[in-house]
Coordinates of all heavy atoms in Angstrom, one line a residue:
M1 N -148.3 144.1 -108.3 CA -149.1 145.0 -109.0 C -150.3 144.2 -109.6 O -150.1 143.2 -110.3 CB -148.3 145.7 -110.2 CG -149.1 146.8 -110.9 SD -148.1 147.6 -112.2 CE -147.2 148.8 -111.2
T2 N -151.5 144.8 -109.4 CA -152.7 144.1 -110.0 C -152.9 144.4 -111.5 O -152.2 145.2 -112.0 CB -154.0 144.6 -109.3 OG1 -154.2 146.0 -109.6 CG2 -153.9 144.5 -107.7
I3 N -153.7 143.6 -112.1 CA -154.0 143.8 -113.5 C -154.5 145.2 -113.8 O -154.1 145.9 -114.7 CB -155.0 142.7 -114.0 CG1 -154.5 141.4 -113.9 CG2 -155.5 143.1 -115.4 CD1 -155.4 140.2 -114.2
D4 N -155.4 145.7 -112.9 CA -155.9 147.0 -113.1 C -154.8 148.1 -113.0 O -154.8 149.0 -113.8 CB -157.0 147.3 -112.1 CG -158.3 146.6 -112.4 OD1 -158.5 146.1 -113.5 OD2 -159.2 146.6 -111.5
E5 N -153.9 147.9 -112.1 CA -152.8 148.8 -111.9 C -151.9 148.8 -113.1 O -151.5 149.9 -113.6 CB -152.0 148.5 -110.7 CG -152.7 148.8 -109.4 CD -152.0 148.3 -108.1 OE1 -151.3 147.3 -108.2 OE2 -152.3 148.8 -107.0
K6 N -151.7 147.6 -113.7 CA -150.8 147.5 -114.9 C -151.5 148.2 -116.1 O -150.9 148.9 -116.8 CB -150.6 146.1 -115.2 CG -149.6 145.4 -114.3 CD -149.4 143.9 -114.6 CE -148.6 143.2 -113.6 NZ -148.4 141.8 -113.9
L7 N -152.8 148.0 -116.2 CA -153.6 148.6 -117.3 C -153.6 150.1 -117.2 O -153.4 150.9 -118.1 CB -155.0 148.1 -117.3 CG -155.2 146.6 -117.7 CD1 -156.6 146.2 -117.6 CD2 -154.7 146.4 -119.2
M8 N -153.8 150.6 -115.9 CA -153.8 152.1 -115.8 C -152.4 152.7 -116.0 O -152.3 153.8 -116.5 CB -154.4 152.4 -114.4 CG -155.9 152.2 -114.3 SD -156.9 152.9 -115.6 CE -156.6 154.6 -115.4
T9 N -151.4 152.0 -115.6 CA -150.0 152.5 -115.9 C -149.8 152.5 -117.4 O -149.3 153.5 -117.9 CB -149.0 151.5 -115.3 OG1 -149.1 151.5 -113.9 CG2 -147.6 151.9 -115.6
G10 N -150.3 151.5 -118.1 CA -150.2 151.6 -119.6 C -151.0 152.7 -120.2 O -150.5 153.4 -121.1
I11 N -152.2 153.0 -119.7 CA -153.0 154.1 -120.2 C -152.3 155.4 -119.9 O -152.3 156.3 -120.7 CB -154.4 154.0 -119.6 CG1 -155.1 152.8 -120.2 CG2 -155.2 155.3 -119.8 CD1 -156.4 152.4 -119.5
R12 N -151.8 155.6 -118.7 CA -151.0 156.8 -118.3 C -149.8 157.0 -119.3 O -149.5 158.1 -119.6 CB -150.5 156.7 -116.9 CG -151.5 157.2 -115.9 CD -150.8 157.5 -114.6 NE -149.7 156.6 -114.2 CZ -149.8 155.7 -113.2 NH1 -150.8 155.6 -112.4 NH2 -148.8 154.9 -113.0
N13 N -149.3 155.9 -119.8 CA -148.2 155.9 -120.7 C -148.6 156.0 -122.2 O -147.9 155.8 -123.1 CB -147.2 154.7 -120.5 CG -146.5 154.8 -119.2 OD1 -146.2 155.8 -118.7 ND2 -146.2 153.6 -118.7
R14 N -150.0 156.2 -122.3 CA -150.6 156.4 -123.6 C -150.5 155.1 -124.5 O -150.4 155.2 -125.7 CB -150.1 157.6 -124.4 CG -150.0 158.9 -123.6 CD -151.3 159.2 -122.8 NE -152.4 159.7 -123.6 CZ -153.6 159.7 -123.2 NH1 -153.9 159.4 -121.9 NH2 -154.6 160.2 -123.9
E15 N -150.6 153.9 -123.9 CA -150.6 152.7 -124.6 C -152.0 152.3 -125.0 O -152.8 152.0 -124.1 CB -149.9 151.6 -123.8 CG -148.5 151.8 -123.5 CD -147.9 150.9 -122.4 OE1 -148.6 149.9 -122.1 OE2 -146.8 151.1 -121.9
K16 N -152.3 152.4 -126.3 CA -153.7 152.1 -126.7 C -154.1 150.6 -126.4 O -155.3 150.4 -126.1 CB -153.8 152.4 -128.2 CG -153.7 153.8 -128.5 CD -153.9 154.1 -130.0 CE -153.7 155.6 -130.2 NZ -153.8 155.9 -131.7
Q17 N -153.2 149.7 -126.4 CA -153.5 148.3 -126.1 C -154.0 148.2 -124.6 O -154.9 147.4 -124.4 CB -152.3 147.4 -126.3 CG -152.6 145.9 -126.1 CD -153.7 145.5 -127.1 OE1 -153.6 145.7 -128.3 NE2 -154.7 144.8 -126.6
A18 N -153.5 149.0 -123.8 CA -153.9 149.0 -122.4 C -155.4 149.4 -122.3 O -156.2 148.8 -121.5 CB -153.0 149.8 -121.5
L19 N -155.7 150.4 -123.0 CA -157.1 150.9 -123.0 C -158.0 149.8 -123.6 O -159.1 149.5 -123.1 CB -157.3 152.2 -123.8 CG -158.7 152.7 -123.9 CD1 -159.2 153.1 -122.5 CD2 -158.8 153.9 -124.8
S20 N -157.6 149.2 -124.7 CA -158.3 148.1 -125.4 C -158.5 146.9 -124.3 O -159.6 146.4 -124.3 CB -157.6 147.6 -126.6 OG -158.3 146.6 -127.2
D21 N -157.5 146.6 -123.6 CA -157.6 145.5 -122.6 C -158.5 145.9 -121.5 O -159.3 145.1 -121.0 CB -156.2 145.2 -122.1 CG -155.3 144.5 -123.1 OD1 -155.8 144.1 -124.2 OD2 -154.1 144.5 -122.9
L22 N -158.5 147.1 -121.1 CA -159.4 147.6 -120.0 C -160.8 147.5 -120.5 O -161.7 147.1 -119.8 CB -159.0 149.0 -119.6 CG -159.9 149.6 -118.5 CD1 -159.5 148.9 -117.1 CD2 -159.7 151.1 -118.4
Y23 N -161.0 148.0 -121.7 CA -162.4 147.9 -122.3 C -162.9 146.4 -122.4 O -164.0 146.1 -122.0 CB -162.4 148.5 -123.8 CG -163.7 148.4 -124.5 CD1 -164.6 149.4 -124.3 CD2 -164.0 147.3 -125.3 CE1 -165.9 149.3 -124.9 CE2 -165.2 147.2 -125.9 CZ -166.1 148.2 -125.7 OH -167.4 148.1 -126.3
D24 N -162.0 145.5 -122.9 CA -162.4 144.1 -122.9 C -162.7 143.6 -121.5 O -163.6 142.7 -121.4 CB -161.3 143.3 -123.5 CG -161.1 143.5 -125.0 OD1 -162.0 144.1 -125.7 OD2 -160.0 143.2 -125.5
R25 N -162.0 144.0 -120.5 CA -162.2 143.6 -119.2 C -163.5 144.1 -118.6 O -164.2 143.3 -117.8 CB -161.0 144.0 -118.3 CG -161.0 143.5 -116.9 CD -159.6 143.9 -116.3 NE -159.5 143.7 -114.9 CZ -159.2 142.5 -114.3 NH1 -159.0 141.5 -115.0 NH2 -159.2 142.5 -113.0
Y26 N -163.9 145.3 -118.9 CA -165.0 145.9 -118.1 C -166.2 146.4 -118.9 O -167.2 146.8 -118.3 CB -164.5 147.1 -117.3 CG -163.7 146.6 -116.1 CD1 -162.3 147.1 -116.0 CD2 -164.2 145.8 -115.1 CE1 -161.5 146.7 -114.9 CE2 -163.4 145.4 -114.1 CZ -162.1 145.8 -114.0 OH -161.3 145.4 -112.9
H27 N -166.2 146.3 -120.3 CA -167.3 147.0 -121.0 C -168.6 146.3 -120.8 O -169.6 147.0 -120.7 CB -166.9 147.0 -122.5 CG -167.2 145.8 -123.2 ND1 -166.2 144.8 -123.3 CD2 -168.2 145.3 -124.0 CE1 -166.7 143.8 -124.0 NE2 -167.9 144.1 -124.4
R28 N -168.7 145.0 -120.5 CA -170.0 144.3 -120.3 C -170.6 144.8 -119.0 O -171.8 145.0 -118.9 CB -169.8 142.8 -120.3 CG -169.6 142.3 -121.7 CD -169.6 140.7 -121.7 NE -169.3 140.2 -123.0 CZ -168.1 139.8 -123.3 NH1 -167.0 139.9 -122.5 NH2 -167.9 139.4 -124.6
I29 N -169.8 144.9 -118.0 CA -170.3 145.4 -116.7 C -170.8 146.8 -116.8 O -171.9 147.2 -116.3 CB -169.2 145.3 -115.6 CG1 -168.8 143.9 -115.4 CG2 -169.6 146.0 -114.3 CD1 -167.5 143.7 -114.5
I30 N -170.0 147.7 -117.5 CA -170.5 149.1 -117.7 C -171.7 149.1 -118.5 O -172.7 149.9 -118.2 CB -169.3 150.0 -118.3 CG1 -168.1 149.9 -117.4 CG2 -169.8 151.4 -118.5 CD1 -168.3 150.3 -116.0
W31 N -171.8 148.3 -119.5 CA -173.0 148.2 -120.3 C -174.2 147.9 -119.4 O -175.3 148.5 -119.5 CB -172.9 147.2 -121.4 CG -174.1 146.9 -122.2 CD1 -175.0 145.9 -121.9 CD2 -174.7 147.6 -123.3 NE1 -176.1 146.0 -122.8 CE2 -175.9 147.0 -123.7 CE3 -174.2 148.7 -124.0 CZ2 -176.6 147.5 -124.7 CZ3 -175.0 149.2 -125.1 CH2 -176.1 148.6 -125.4
N32 N -174.1 146.9 -118.6 CA -175.2 146.5 -117.7 C -175.6 147.6 -116.7 O -176.8 147.7 -116.4 CB -174.8 145.2 -116.9 CG -174.8 144.0 -117.9 OD1 -175.5 143.9 -118.9 ND2 -174.0 143.0 -117.5
I33 N -174.6 148.3 -116.3 CA -174.9 149.4 -115.4 C -175.7 150.5 -116.2 O -176.7 151.0 -115.7 CB -173.6 150.1 -114.8 CG1 -172.9 149.1 -113.9 CG2 -173.9 151.4 -114.1 CD1 -173.6 148.6 -112.7
A34 N -175.3 150.8 -117.4 CA -176.0 151.7 -118.2 C -177.4 151.3 -118.5 O -178.4 152.1 -118.5 CB -175.3 151.9 -119.5
R35 N -177.6 150.0 -118.7 CA -179.0 149.4 -119.0 C -179.9 149.5 -117.8 O -181.1 149.5 -118.0 CB -178.9 148.0 -119.4 CG -178.3 147.8 -120.8 CD -179.2 148.2 -121.9 NE -180.4 147.2 -122.0 CZ -181.4 147.5 -122.7 NH1 -181.5 148.6 -123.4 NH2 -182.4 146.6 -122.8
Q36 N -179.4 149.7 -116.6 CA -180.2 149.8 -115.5 C -181.0 151.1 -115.5 O -182.1 151.2 -114.9 CB -179.4 149.8 -114.2 CG -178.9 148.4 -113.9 CD -177.9 148.4 -112.7 OE1 -177.7 149.4 -112.0 NE2 -177.4 147.2 -112.4
S37 N -180.5 152.2 -116.1 CA -181.2 153.4 -116.2 C -181.6 153.8 -117.6 O -182.4 154.8 -117.7 CB -180.3 154.5 -115.6 OG -179.1 154.6 -116.3
E38 N -181.1 153.1 -118.6 CA -181.5 153.5 -120.0 C -182.0 152.3 -120.7 O -181.5 151.2 -120.6 CB -180.2 154.0 -120.7 CG -179.6 155.2 -120.2 CD -180.4 156.4 -120.4 OE1 -181.3 156.5 -121.3 OE2 -180.3 157.4 -119.6
T39 N -183.1 152.5 -121.5 CA -183.6 151.4 -122.3 C -183.2 151.5 -123.7 O -183.2 150.5 -124.4 CB -185.2 151.4 -122.3 OG1 -185.6 152.7 -122.7 CG2 -185.7 151.2 -120.9
D40 N -182.7 152.6 -124.1 CA -182.2 152.9 -125.5 C -180.8 152.3 -125.6 O -179.9 152.9 -125.0 CB -182.3 154.3 -125.9 CG -182.0 154.6 -127.3 OD1 -181.3 153.8 -128.0 OD2 -182.3 155.8 -127.7
C41 N -180.6 151.4 -126.5 CA -179.2 150.7 -126.6 C -178.2 151.8 -127.1 O -177.1 151.7 -126.8 CB -179.3 149.5 -127.6 SG -180.1 148.1 -126.8
S42 N -178.6 152.7 -128.0 CA -177.7 153.7 -128.5 C -177.2 154.6 -127.4 O -176.0 155.0 -127.4 CB -178.3 154.5 -129.7 OG -179.3 155.3 -129.3
V43 N -178.1 154.9 -126.4 CA -177.7 155.7 -125.3 C -176.7 154.9 -124.4 O -175.7 155.5 -123.9 CB -178.9 156.2 -124.5 CG1 -178.5 156.9 -123.2 CG2 -179.8 157.1 -125.3
C44 N -177.0 153.6 -124.3 CA -176.1 152.8 -123.5 C -174.7 152.7 -124.1 O -173.7 152.8 -123.4 CB -176.6 151.4 -123.3 SG -178.1 151.3 -122.3
E45 N -174.7 152.6 -125.4 CA -173.4 152.6 -126.2 C -172.6 153.9 -125.9 O -171.4 153.9 -125.7 CB -173.6 152.4 -127.6 CG -174.0 151.0 -128.0 CD -174.4 150.8 -129.5 OE1 -174.0 151.7 -130.3 OE2 -175.1 149.9 -129.8
Q46 N -173.4 155.0 -126.0 CA -172.7 156.3 -125.7 C -172.2 156.4 -124.3 O -171.1 157.0 -124.1 CB -173.8 157.4 -126.0 CG -174.2 157.6 -127.4 CD -175.3 158.6 -127.6 OE1 -175.8 159.2 -126.7 NE2 -175.8 158.7 -128.8
L47 N -172.9 155.9 -123.4 CA -172.4 155.9 -122.0 C -171.1 155.1 -121.8 O -170.2 155.6 -121.2 CB -173.5 155.4 -121.0 CG -174.7 156.3 -120.8 CD1 -175.8 155.6 -120.1 CD2 -174.3 157.6 -120.0
V48 N -171.1 153.9 -122.4 CA -169.9 153.1 -122.3 C -168.7 153.8 -123.0 O -167.6 153.9 -122.4 CB -170.2 151.7 -123.0 CG1 -168.9 150.9 -123.1 CG2 -171.2 150.9 -122.2
T49 N -169.0 154.4 -124.2 CA -168.0 155.1 -124.9 C -167.4 156.3 -124.0 O -166.2 156.5 -123.9 CB -168.5 155.6 -126.2 OG1 -168.9 154.5 -127.0 CG2 -167.4 156.4 -127.0
H50 N -168.4 157.0 -123.4 CA -168.0 158.1 -122.6 C -167.0 157.7 -121.4 O -166.0 158.4 -121.2 CB -169.2 158.8 -122.0 CG -168.9 159.7 -120.9 ND1 -168.4 161.0 -121.1 CD2 -168.9 159.6 -119.5 CE1 -168.1 161.6 -119.9 NE2 -168.5 160.8 -119.0
V51 N -167.4 156.6 -120.8 CA -166.5 156.1 -119.7 C -165.1 155.8 -120.1 O -164.2 156.3 -119.5 CB -167.2 154.8 -119.0 CG1 -166.2 154.2 -118.1 CG2 -168.5 155.2 -118.4
F52 N -164.9 155.1 -121.2 CA -163.6 154.8 -121.6 C -162.9 155.9 -122.3 O -161.6 156.0 -122.1 CB -163.6 153.5 -122.5 CG -164.0 152.3 -121.7 CD1 -165.3 151.9 -121.7 CD2 -163.1 151.7 -120.9 CE1 -165.7 150.8 -120.9 CE2 -163.4 150.6 -120.1 CZ -164.7 150.1 -120.1
R53 N -163.6 156.9 -122.9 CA -162.9 158.1 -123.3 C -162.5 158.9 -122.1 O -161.4 159.6 -122.2 CB -163.9 159.0 -124.1 CG -164.0 158.5 -125.5 CD -164.9 159.4 -126.4 NE -165.0 158.9 -127.7 CZ -165.8 159.3 -128.6 NH1 -166.7 160.3 -128.3 NH2 -165.8 158.8 -129.8
A54 N -163.2 158.9 -121.1 CA -162.9 159.7 -119.8 C -161.6 159.0 -119.2 O -160.7 159.8 -118.8 CB -164.0 159.6 -118.8
V55 N -161.5 157.7 -119.3 CA -160.3 157.1 -118.7 C -159.1 157.5 -119.5 O -158.0 157.8 -119.0 CB -160.5 155.5 -118.7 CG1 -159.1 154.8 -118.4 CG2 -161.5 155.1 -117.8
W56 N -159.2 157.5 -120.9 CA -158.1 157.9 -121.7 C -157.7 159.3 -121.6 O -156.6 159.7 -121.5 CB -158.5 157.6 -123.2 CG -157.3 157.8 -124.1 CD1 -157.2 158.8 -125.0 CD2 -156.2 157.0 -124.3 NE1 -156.0 158.7 -125.7 CE2 -155.4 157.5 -125.3 CE3 -155.8 155.8 -123.7 CZ2 -154.2 157.0 -125.7 CZ3 -154.5 155.2 -124.1 CH2 -153.8 155.8 -125.1
A57 N -158.7 160.2 -121.4 CA -158.5 161.6 -121.3 C -157.8 162.0 -120.0 O -157.0 162.9 -120.0 CB -159.8 162.4 -121.5
K58 N -158.3 161.4 -118.9 CA -157.8 161.8 -117.6 C -157.6 160.5 -116.7 O -158.4 160.3 -115.8 CB -158.8 162.7 -116.9 CG -159.0 164.1 -117.5 CD -159.8 164.9 -116.7 CE -159.8 166.4 -117.3 NZ -160.6 167.2 -116.5
P59 N -156.6 159.7 -117.1 CA -156.4 158.5 -116.3 C -156.2 158.8 -114.8 O -156.5 157.9 -114.0 CB -155.2 157.9 -117.0 CG -154.5 158.9 -117.8 CD -155.6 159.9 -118.1
Q60 N -155.6 159.9 -114.5 CA -155.4 160.2 -113.1 C -156.7 160.3 -112.3 O -156.7 160.0 -111.1 CB -154.6 161.6 -112.9 CG -155.4 162.8 -113.4 CD -155.3 163.1 -114.9 OE1 -154.8 162.3 -115.6 NE2 -155.9 164.2 -115.2
D61 N -157.8 160.5 -112.9 CA -159.1 160.5 -112.2 C -159.5 159.1 -111.8 O -160.4 159.0 -111.0 CB -160.2 161.2 -113.0 CG -160.0 162.7 -113.2 OD1 -159.1 163.3 -112.6 OD2 -160.7 163.3 -114.0
F62 N -158.9 158.1 -112.4 CA -159.3 156.7 -112.2 C -158.2 156.0 -111.4 O -158.3 154.7 -111.3 CB -159.6 156.1 -113.5 CG -160.8 156.6 -114.2 CD1 -160.7 157.7 -115.0 CD2 -162.0 156.1 -114.0 CE1 -161.8 158.3 -115.6 CE2 -163.2 156.7 -114.6 CZ -163.0 157.8 -115.4
I63 N -157.3 156.7 -110.8 CA -156.3 156.1 -110.0 C -156.4 156.7 -108.6 O -156.0 157.8 -108.3 CB -154.9 156.3 -110.5 CG1 -154.8 155.8 -112.0 CG2 -153.8 155.8 -109.6 CD1 -153.5 156.3 -112.7
Q64 N -157.1 156.0 -107.8 CA -157.4 156.4 -106.4 C -157.3 155.3 -105.5 O -156.9 154.2 -105.9 CB -158.8 157.1 -106.3 CG -158.9 158.3 -107.2 CD -160.3 158.9 -107.2 OE1 -161.2 158.5 -106.4 NE2 -160.6 159.8 -108.0
N65 N -157.7 155.5 -104.2 CA -157.7 154.4 -103.3 C -158.9 153.5 -103.3 O -159.1 152.7 -102.5 CB -157.5 155.0 -101.8 CG -156.2 155.6 -101.6 OD1 -155.2 155.1 -102.2 ND2 -156.1 156.6 -100.8
R66 N -159.7 153.7 -104.4 CA -160.9 152.8 -104.6 C -160.6 151.9 -105.7 O -159.7 152.1 -106.6 CB -162.1 153.7 -104.9 CG -162.5 154.6 -103.7 CD -163.6 155.5 -104.1 NE -164.8 154.7 -104.5 CZ -165.7 155.2 -105.4 NH1 -165.6 156.5 -105.8 NH2 -166.7 154.5 -105.7
K67 N -161.4 150.8 -105.8 CA -161.2 149.9 -106.9 C -161.6 150.6 -108.2 O -162.5 151.4 -108.3 CB -162.1 148.7 -106.7 CG -161.7 147.8 -105.6 CD -162.5 146.5 -105.7 CE -161.8 145.5 -104.7 NZ -162.4 144.2 -104.8
L68 N -160.8 150.3 -109.2 CA -161.0 150.9 -110.6 C -162.5 150.6 -111.0 O -163.1 151.5 -111.6 CB -160.0 150.3 -111.6 CG -160.2 150.8 -113.0 CD1 -160.1 152.3 -113.1 CD2 -159.1 150.1 -113.9
L69 N -163.0 149.4 -110.9 CA -164.3 149.1 -111.3 C -165.3 150.1 -110.7 O -166.3 150.6 -111.4 CB -164.7 147.7 -111.0 CG -166.1 147.3 -111.4 CD1 -166.4 147.5 -112.9 CD2 -166.4 145.8 -111.1
M70 N -165.2 150.4 -109.4 CA -166.1 151.3 -108.8 C -166.1 152.7 -109.4 O -167.1 153.4 -109.6 CB -165.8 151.4 -107.3 CG -166.1 150.1 -106.5 SD -167.8 149.6 -106.3 CE -168.2 148.7 -107.8
L71 N -164.8 153.1 -109.8 CA -164.7 154.4 -110.4 C -165.3 154.4 -111.8 O -166.0 155.4 -112.2 CB -163.2 154.8 -110.5 CG -162.5 155.0 -109.1 CD1 -161.0 155.1 -109.3 CD2 -163.0 156.2 -108.4
L72 N -165.2 153.3 -112.5 CA -165.8 153.3 -113.8 C -167.3 153.3 -113.7 O -168.0 154.0 -114.5 CB -165.4 152.0 -114.5 CG -163.9 151.8 -114.9 CD1 -163.6 150.4 -115.4 CD2 -163.5 152.9 -115.9
I73 N -167.9 152.6 -112.7 CA -169.3 152.5 -112.5 C -169.8 153.9 -112.1 O -170.8 154.4 -112.6 CB -169.7 151.5 -111.4 CG1 -169.5 150.1 -112.0 CG2 -171.1 151.7 -110.9 CD1 -169.6 149.0 -111.0
D74 N -169.1 154.6 -111.2 CA -169.5 156.0 -110.8 C -169.5 156.9 -112.0 O -170.4 157.7 -112.1 CB -168.5 156.5 -109.7 CG -168.7 155.9 -108.4 OD1 -169.7 155.1 -108.2 OD2 -167.8 156.1 -107.5
C75 N -168.5 156.8 -112.9 CA -168.4 157.6 -114.1 C -169.7 157.4 -115.0 O -170.3 158.3 -115.4 CB -167.2 157.3 -114.8 SG -166.9 158.3 -116.3
C76 N -170.0 156.1 -115.1 CA -171.2 155.8 -116.0 C -172.5 156.3 -115.3 O -173.3 156.9 -116.0 CB -171.3 154.3 -116.1 SG -172.6 153.7 -117.1
R77 N -172.6 156.1 -114.1 CA -173.8 156.5 -113.4 C -174.0 158.1 -113.4 O -175.1 158.6 -113.6 CB -173.9 156.0 -112.0 CG -174.2 154.5 -111.9 CD -174.4 154.0 -110.5 NE -174.8 152.6 -110.5 CZ -174.5 151.8 -109.6 NH1 -173.8 152.1 -108.5 NH2 -174.9 150.5 -109.7
S78 N -172.9 158.8 -113.2 CA -173.0 160.2 -113.2 C -173.3 160.8 -114.5 O -174.1 161.7 -114.7 CB -171.7 160.9 -112.6 OG -170.6 160.6 -113.5
R79 N -172.7 160.2 -115.6 CA -173.1 160.6 -116.9 C -174.5 160.2 -117.3 O -175.2 161.0 -117.9 CB -172.1 159.9 -117.9 CG -172.4 160.3 -119.4 CD -172.2 161.8 -119.6 NE -172.3 162.1 -121.0 CZ -171.5 162.8 -121.7 NH1 -170.5 163.4 -121.1 NH2 -171.7 163.1 -123.0
S80 N -175.0 159.1 -116.8 CA -176.4 158.7 -117.1 C -177.3 159.6 -116.4 O -178.3 160.1 -117.0 CB -176.6 157.3 -116.5 OG -177.9 156.9 -116.7
A81 N -177.0 160.0 -115.2 CA -177.8 161.0 -114.4 C -177.9 162.3 -115.2 O -179.0 162.9 -115.3 CB -177.3 161.2 -113.0
A82 N -176.8 162.8 -115.7 CA -176.7 164.0 -116.4 C -177.5 163.9 -117.7 O -178.2 164.9 -118.1 CB -175.3 164.4 -116.8
T83 N -177.5 162.8 -118.4 CA -178.3 162.5 -119.6 C -179.8 162.6 -119.3 O -180.5 163.2 -120.0 CB -177.9 161.2 -120.2 OG1 -176.5 161.2 -120.5 CG2 -178.7 160.9 -121.5
I84 N -180.2 161.9 -118.2 CA -181.6 161.9 -117.8 C -182.0 163.3 -117.5 O -183.1 163.7 -117.9 CB -181.8 161.0 -116.6 CG1 -181.6 159.5 -117.1 CG2 -183.2 161.2 -116.0 CD1 -181.5 158.5 -115.9
K85 N -181.3 164.1 -116.8 CA -181.6 165.5 -116.5 C -181.8 166.4 -117.7 O -182.7 167.2 -117.8 CB -180.6 166.2 -115.6 CG -180.7 165.7 -114.1 CD -179.6 166.4 -113.3 CE -179.6 165.8 -111.9 NZ -178.6 166.5 -111.0
K86 N -181.0 166.1 -118.8 CA -181.1 166.9 -120.0 C -182.5 166.6 -120.7 O -183.0 167.5 -121.3 CB -180.0 166.4 -121.0 CG -178.7 167.1 -120.9 CD -177.8 166.7 -122.0 CE -176.5 167.4 -122.0 NZ -175.7 167.0 -123.1
N87 N -182.9 165.4 -120.6 CA -184.2 165.0 -121.3 C -185.3 165.3 -120.4 O -186.2 165.7 -120.3 CB -184.2 163.5 -121.6 CG -183.1 163.2 -122.6 OD1 -182.6 164.0 -123.4 ND2 -182.6 162.0 -122.5

């Protein structure tokens, strides 16, 4: 079992430490993805927060045959695109 699989199992079991560990593992990458489309740091923070809230709310959406990181990036980019359309 990979680290990501262990973390997602923990999140499915509602273990807050697993979410914290996932955040520590990927938040910088997600931040950098957000910065590619947003210059406002507060918007980037909101995007990062959205991604990890989405993981906590619906972990099943992040357990697929694709790498977890790619799913996190997709979540960030889709939310970013929706934010840009609003403005």
